[in-house]
Amino acid sequence: MTQLSGWKVLGPGRAGGELVLAVDFATTGRSDSAFTDLAPRLDPELAVWETRQPAGDGLPAEDYLALWDGEAAADGRRVRAVLGYCAGSVFAGELAARVAARQDEAPHLVLFEPEVPEPAGLYRDFAAMMNQFASVLTAEEVSAAQQEADAARTGDVDFGAYGDVLVRIFMERAGAAFAREELDTELLDEFVAVFRSYVSYLDAARRIDPAAAWRTATAVSSRTPSQGAALAGRNVGIDVDHCDMLRDERVAEAVNRILGSRVAS
């Protein structure tokens, strides 16, 4: 098999089987469920790959897509489906179109809570990240960081510039706390690097118009569907919290039906 830098193998599948490509920005420690939860519940004959991000910040969308599509094409197996989670659904639509252009049948496109990144969503992610540092920061420091970030979210704010503001706020607030507690600043640097990479990933996704691709997709939605789900050609609703979607057995059963799998494992 091709040496992979853009993909993490979540399930090997059977020899000569088909691929499922899953697009998400997965990080350790996040509270939302992930494709690592869903993959063991899919047909074990299917190999499941999850995206890794290319190195570097400020990359164009083409750099992400070229890495992911190039390695999937080099592997040579037929792609049964492309899955996308939240903002990953934007990349997933374009990736599915590229796969469809080179094989005899278009892959299934399945989107979970599809959304185009917006500053409001980036603020929500930042606020959640600050809450994760409650053991280091005081409640007042967490609240102050969140309020400062919210105040910077003006109606005409540029997405990338807003991401830079959030990185600055995080470094100032968390940096002071790390120094006070005499904690290893390398850990702080790692968090900053991950957040910068996340902002870059979201900003690149914003450069893609997903409307045409999403019309060919099935959106799987929680009890609070995303706005992007309305653009999908078909919708499947599951009575589940957004954060638990990819670990819910009913969601796995729905995906297996969409993919034409005989069993849900």
Side-chain angles (χ1 to χ4, degrees):
M1 187 180 76
T2 303
Q3 185 67 31
L4 301 176
S5 61
W7 296 98
K8 176 182 179 181
V9 177
L10 302 185
R14 67 170 175 82
E18 296 177 326
L19 278 175
V20 172
L21 305 177
V23 185
D24 186 21
F25 190 98
T27 59
T28 57
R30 84 176 191 186
S31 58
D32 280 14
S33 56
F35 285 118
T36 50
D37 299 302
L38 178 65
R41 293 180 165 93
L42 299 182
D43 185 340
E45 293 201 354
L46 298 172
V48 183
W49 292 3
E50 179 185 61
T51 48
R52 289 192 175 108
Q53 319 317 314
D57 297 330
L59 301 174
E62 179 59 30
D63 283 20
Y64 293 80
L65 291 161
L67 173 65
W68 298 333
D69 184 47
E71 291 186 352
D75 179 79
R77 282 178 285 184
R78 188 172 181 276
V79 177
R80 172 83 68 88
V82 179
L83 316 180
Y85 182 71
C86 293
S89 298
V90 179
F91 286 118
E94 177 60 25
L95 182 59
R98 296 185 182 204
V99 171
R102 66 167 184 269
Q103 65 182 36
D104 59 346
E105 186 176 355
H108 297 281
L109 177 59
V110 185
L111 311 177
F112 303 86
E113 310 281 62
E115 63 179 19
V116 175
E118 297 291 347
L122 184 56
Y123 167 76
R124 187 173 62 245
D125 294 335
F126 172 82
M129 181 177 70
M130 293 305 302
N131 286 332
Q132 292 180 355
F133 280 80
S135 62
V136 177
L137 301 169
T138 66
E140 292 75 17
E141 287 171 329
V142 171
S143 178
Q146 292 169 340
Q147 290 178 28
E148 186 179 355
D150 192 33
R153 183 166 51 92
T154 59
D156 60 349
V157 67
D158 174 78
F159 188 91
Y162 183 54
D164 290 340
V165 169
L166 297 185
V167 169
R168 175 187 60 76
I169 294 171
F170 176 76
M171 290 182 67
E172 290 176 355
R173 300 289 182 177
F178 269 60
R180 180 181 66 232
E181 301 295 332
E182 298 183 344
L183 298 174
D184 186 352
T185 57
E186 287 187 5
L187 179 61
L188 178 63
D189 292 341
E190 289 177 10
F191 273 100
V192 170
V194 169
F195 190 70
R196 285 188 188 279
S197 181
Y198 181 58
V199 172
S200 179
Y201 166 87
L202 296 179
D203 200 30
R206 283 172 55 83
R207 314 298 175 179
I208 301 170
D209 181 356
W214 284 6
R215 285 195 292 270
T216 70
T218 298
V220 180
S221 299
S222 69
R223 62 173 63 101
T224 55
S226 65
Q227 290 184 342
L231 300 178
R234 179 186 174 217
N235 270 274
V236 175
I238 307 290
D239 186 21
V240 62
D241 288 339
H242 166 80
C243 64
D244 293 325
M245 282 201 69
L246 297 179
R247 65 172 66 100
D248 190 275
E249 188 63 42
R250 294 164 297 174
V251 171
E253 291 171 357
V255 174
N256 277 303
R257 286 194 298 270
I258 294 166
L259 272 53
S261 299
R262 292 188 298 275
V263 296
S265 96

